[in-house]
Amino acid sequence: MSTSNTKMLSENRFKKAIANGETQIGLWCSLTSNLATEMIGEIGYDWLLLDAEHAPNDLGTLLPQLQGLRGSFSEPIVRTPWNDHVLVKRFMDIGFRTILFPYVQNEEEAAAAVAAMRYPPEGVRGVATLHRACSFGANADYFATANETACAIIQVETQSAAERLEAICKVPNLSGIFIGPADLAASMGHLGNPGHKDVQSLMRHCVDTCRTLGMPIGTLAPAQANAEKYLDWGYNFVAVGADLGLMRVAATEKLAAFKKA
């Protein structure tokens, strides 16, 4: 049996790390560029989020990015555009093992997300025998290990979902919670102001709830002060920026330096 696809056959280190409460630092990838993602994959982030919700990513752009990350230390995570088991099946068949589901509102929707990632009888993932995730049939152990390496993370981004957090955390085989500060703020009447004290208070309550229940929790925090604060609170996987944002900042600063000259 061929074992050349070592990245695909390895354990999900990210899933194991967050389950153990280890800090995992990530970066958002929205450029839809396989070259940019490959370059970022050489830097050493624990995880990279390839965004298919708010960035123009689809199967055609995600596949070459996954190929660029083969052998990378970073765990590739895809944010699916919706909690849709058909999309999940296709994302997993090309090689994703960790999926972030947006706008999950309750435990029933969380359970559906988990089921979409797992083969029967634990879930509803459709079975194909010749796809990239199983090394096109060369990995005879794939079906025995796929459910074990699957990592379902659901995004809590409304006040109503936060109020259901304890019940959501009790969904079997759920691997993590992700708080979306911007949408959470919008749902609370503070659009564009995730730093509002009420939003921050709820984010603190969410991490306290998850830690009490033993559920890993993460968030997005491009500002370093926020990232440090959230890590101090107990968030254990945090995206500390986005490729698009970093490019904009660097390009703006470069132009400003020459304008002053």
Side-chain angles (χ1 to χ4, degrees), residues 139-161:
N139 178 8
D141 297 325
Y142 180 77
F143 294 111
T145 60
N147 284 1
E148 179 183 341
T149 58
C151 180
I153 302 171
I154 63 99
Q155 193 158 328
V156 170
E157 47 190 335
T158 66
Q159 185 172 4
S160 59

Side-chain angles (χ1 to χ4, degrees), residues 5-260:
N5 193 353
T6 54
K7 174 62 178 171
M8 291 295 180
L9 302 183
S10 67
E11 68 176 353
N12 191 329
R13 293 175 296 189
F14 171 78
K15 180 180 181 180
K16 181 179 180 180
I18 63 172
N20 289 335
E22 299 173 20
T23 298
Q24 298 286 283
I25 301 300
L27 193 77
W28 227 250
C29 295
S30 301
L31 289 172
T32 71
S33 165
N34 58 310
L35 189 61
T37 301
E38 182 179 13
M39 179 273 292
I40 295 169
E42 297 288 336
I43 294 174
Y45 286 96
D46 297 304
W47 56 281
L48 299 176
L49 190 289
L50 308 186
D51 193 4
E53 183 192 16
H54 286 298
N57 269 312
D58 56 22
L59 286 169
T61 59
L62 290 167
L63 175 56
Q65 290 178 80
L66 274 179
Q67 291 170 326
L69 289 172
R70 176 179 285 185
S72 169
F73 174 83
S74 305
E75 174 70 18
I77 303 174
V78 63
R79 179 163 68 170
T80 184
W82 194 241
N83 191 353
D84 181 330
H85 76 277
V86 175
L87 287 173
V88 169
K89 170 177 60 180
R90 303 189 75 192
F91 288 152
M92 295 195 74
D93 283 355
I94 65 171
F96 285 105
R97 310 174 301 178
T98 306
I99 296 180
L100 176 61
F101 294 83
Y103 204 78
V104 173
Q105 292 293 92
N106 53 52
E107 56 271 33
E108 291 81 13
E109 292 179 5
V114 171
M117 294 189 68
R118 304 177 79 86
Y119 285 123
E122 296 176 30
V124 296
R125 181 183 174 189
V127 179
T129 58
L130 294 173
H131 53 63
R132 184 172 183 270
C134 67
S135 298
F136 305 101
N139 178 8
D141 297 325
Y142 180 77
F143 294 111
T145 60
N147 284 1
E148 179 183 341
T149 58
C151 180
I153 302 171
I154 63 99
Q155 193 158 328
V156 170
E157 47 190 335
T158 66
Q159 185 172 4
S160 59
E163 291 169 354
R164 301 292 309 165
L165 184 57
E166 184 171 346
I168 290 171
C169 286
K170 295 178 181 178
V171 170
N173 295 315
L174 182 65
S175 297
I177 300 294
F178 192 90
I179 303 298
D183 283 294
L184 184 63
S187 79
M188 298 174 69
H190 304 297
L191 178 63
N193 185 18
H196 190 280
K197 62 180 181 62
D198 292 342
V199 180
Q200 292 296 296
S201 178
L202 184 53
M203 289 186 67
R204 182 65 183 265
H205 175 73
C206 287
V207 70
D208 290 344
T209 298
C210 285
R211 287 177 64 85
T212 297
L213 296 172
M215 176 61 68
I217 183 169
T219 191
L220 171 62
Q224 183 170 340
N226 286 339
E228 292 173 349
K229 175 175 65 174
Y230 298 149
L231 288 167
D232 184 61
W233 284 356
Y235 284 83
N236 64 314
F237 59 104
V238 176
V240 295
D243 55 4
L244 193 59
L246 292 172
M247 177 182 286
R248 178 180 173 84
V249 169
T252 301
E253 290 178 349
K254 178 64 71 174
L255 178 61
F258 281 94
K259 291 288 188 180
K260 292 176 181 178

